[in-house]
């Protein structure tokens, strides 16, 4: 409840701070903010607004919650290095194997029937979301590519993972004593917060992959690396298509057949089987003795 309350405060402060900063950078009034945010001329200001607002909305609430409930907030959130380079390579393999699965789930998501009124509302939200992504993804050169990597990959990876995995999943797991329940609840909220029905199920799956990576390793850096790699891959694909003279819409509409998703699911499960064993071994080797004692309840 502390986390949710601080998230609400962060949402208000972050939105106001981002709006004021956007207005100062563009010289536009706050009343025209919604319209000007879709203006390609203001893309750099929109990127800064995105970075600042997500910092207030996601990172700070999780950090201050950890600060309130624990004497070691950074450690509480999972910022440790209980992993190895081999784990990172496995994480990359898992994320690559997840791509066809996510694409297939997008196709399944589209097949789910919804009432006409809901469909109209969902399409309106989807159009707004797509316009914002298209604007942020407008890459005119290598400098823009690097800025996009920071704004669309690095920033969200650090800020969102700190809130959802380090904060929400971590707290829910301590509360419910059920890792799977905490991962599922967090993944549902993680997907819902993006306000995209047609990407809802794929994002739930992505959230569960990130949640499992965090749970097995105990390190938030692993989830951040995975999230960053996923987003950076999308930005890089957009940049590549731009260099080829193709439209960004082509990259955004890419999906995978359902049969390919089924194969990918088997691959992801197999890779997680290997990853879980390796993560347990590395965590045990790198974790300080007092942390092992705490985890195994030898001391309180």
């Amino acid at each position: 409840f502390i986390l949710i309350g601080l998230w609400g405060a962060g949402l208000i402060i972050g939105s106001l701070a981002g709006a004021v900063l956007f207005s100062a950078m563009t010289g536009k009034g706050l009343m025209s903010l919604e319209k000007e945010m879709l203006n390609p001329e203001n893309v750099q200001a929109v990127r800064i607004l995105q970075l600042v607002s997500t910092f207030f909305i996601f990172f700070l609430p999780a950090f201050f919650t950890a600060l309130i409930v624990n004497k070691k907030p950074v450690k509480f959130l999972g910022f440790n290095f209980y992993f190895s380079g081999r784990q990172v390579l496995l994480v990359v393999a898992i994320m690559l194997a997840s791509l066809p699965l996510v694409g297939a789930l997008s196709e399944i998501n589209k097949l789910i029937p919804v009432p006409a009124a809901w469909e109209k509302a969902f399409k309106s939200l989807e159009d707004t979301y797509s316009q914002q992504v298209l604007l942020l993804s407008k890459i005119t050169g290598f400098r823009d590519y690097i800025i996009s990597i920071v704004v669309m990959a690095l920033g969200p990876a650090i800020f969102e993972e700190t809130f959802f995995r380090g904060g929400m999943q971590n707290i829910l797991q301590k509360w419910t004593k059920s890792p799977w329940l905490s991962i599922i609840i967090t993944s549902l909220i993680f997907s819902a917060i993006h306000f995209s029905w047609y990407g809802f199920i794929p994002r739930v799956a992505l959230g569960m992959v990130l949640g499992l990576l965090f749970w097995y390793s105990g390190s938030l850096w692993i989830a951040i690396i995975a999230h960053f790699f996923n987003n950076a891959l999308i930005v890089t694909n957009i940049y590549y298509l731009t260099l080829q003279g193709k439209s960004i819409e082509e990259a955004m509409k890419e999906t995978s057949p359902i049969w390919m998703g089924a194969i990918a699911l088997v691959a992801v499960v197999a890779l997680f089987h290997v990853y879980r064993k390796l993560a347990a071994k590395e965590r045990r080797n790198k974790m300080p003795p007092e942390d092992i004692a705490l985890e195994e309840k030898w001391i309180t």
Side-chain angles (χ1 to χ4, degrees):
F1 292 120
I2 292 171
L3 180 66
I4 293 170
L6 289 176
W7 175 81
L11 180 63
I12 296 169
I13 297 170
S15 299
L16 288 173
V20 170
L21 188 61
F22 181 86
S23 182
M25 290 181 68
T26 61
K28 306 295 183 181
L30 294 177
M31 298 301 293
S32 61
L33 181 64
E34 186 176 351
K35 178 183 176 182
E36 293 298 332
M37 280 183 63
L38 297 176
N39 186 345
E41 294 178 2
N42 301 323
V43 62
Q44 299 298 358
V46 172
R47 285 169 176 162
I48 298 298
L49 181 151
Q50 176 87 359
L51 206 58
V52 170
S53 60
T54 51
F55 174 74
F56 277 95
I57 294 169
F58 294 121
F59 183 83
L60 286 183
F63 178 77
F64 281 120
T65 299
L67 193 64
I68 291 168
V69 303
N70 198 282
K71 292 180 180 179
K72 297 180 179 179
V74 175
K75 188 175 182 180
F76 176 84
L77 290 168
F79 284 104
N80 61 63
F81 293 95
Y82 303 157
F83 61 91
S84 65
R86 285 189 299 168
Q87 265 176 269
V88 174
L89 291 176
L90 261 177
V91 166
V92 170
I94 288 170
M95 297 311 293
L96 286 172
S98 298
L99 290 176
L101 175 60
V102 169
L105 289 173
S106 295
E107 289 296 311
I108 293 172
N109 208 145
K110 292 175 185 176
L111 297 175
I112 299 175
V114 293
W118 290 18
E119 186 176 6
K120 185 178 179 181
F122 289 152
K123 283 186 176 179
S124 177
L125 286 170
E126 198 72 24
D127 288 343
T128 302
Y129 176 78
S130 296
Q131 286 175 1
Q132 291 173 346
V133 172
L134 284 170
L135 180 64
L136 289 170
S137 305
K138 189 176 177 60
I139 302 173
T140 56
F142 187 73
R143 178 175 172 271
D144 263 357
Y145 168 67
I146 297 300
I147 293 172
S148 296
I149 286 286
V150 172
V151 174
M152 299 179 69
L154 185 60
I158 296 174
F159 301 156
E160 291 182 15
E161 289 310 304
T162 300
F163 181 85
F164 287 105
R165 254 56 67 176
M168 185 174 291
Q169 179 180 319
N170 195 6
I171 292 169
L172 283 172
Q173 185 171 331
K174 287 176 169 60
W175 182 24
T176 64
K177 310 298 182 187
S178 172
W180 276 102
L181 182 61
S182 64
I183 289 170
I184 292 169
I185 293 173
T186 302
S187 300
L188 288 168
I189 297 173
F190 170 72
S191 185
I193 211 81
H194 286 82
F195 296 103
S196 171
W197 163 248
Y198 296 104
F200 182 77
I201 294 177
R203 280 197 187 87
V204 170
L206 178 61
M208 291 188 68
V209 168
L210 295 170
L212 287 168
L213 289 171
F214 175 55
W215 173 34
Y216 291 149
S217 68
S219 175
L220 189 62
W221 287 118
I222 285 290
I224 289 172
I225 290 168
H227 196 147
F228 170 76
F229 179 77
N230 179 76
N231 288 14
L233 202 61
I234 295 169
V235 173
T236 303
N237 186 38
I238 290 170
Y239 180 50
Y240 173 76
L241 287 175
T242 302
L243 292 177
Q244 298 295 313
K246 297 178 181 179
S247 66
I248 300 172
E249 287 88 342
E250 289 182 53
M252 292 181 64
K253 291 178 179 178
E254 286 183 357
T255 57
S256 303
I258 295 174
W259 64 265
M260 191 179 290
I263 296 172
L265 178 60
V266 174
V268 169
V269 171
L271 286 168
F272 258 117
H273 180 70
V274 178
Y275 172 83
R276 183 177 183 178
K277 290 183 177 180
L278 179 61
K281 180 182 176 182
E282 295 296 339
R283 187 176 182 181
R284 183 82 182 185
N285 290 339
K286 296 177 184 295
M287 187 181 286
E290 61 271 21
D291 287 353
I292 295 174
L294 277 168
E295 193 171 88
E296 296 181 352
K297 302 191 183 338
W298 286 89
I299 58 175
T300 59

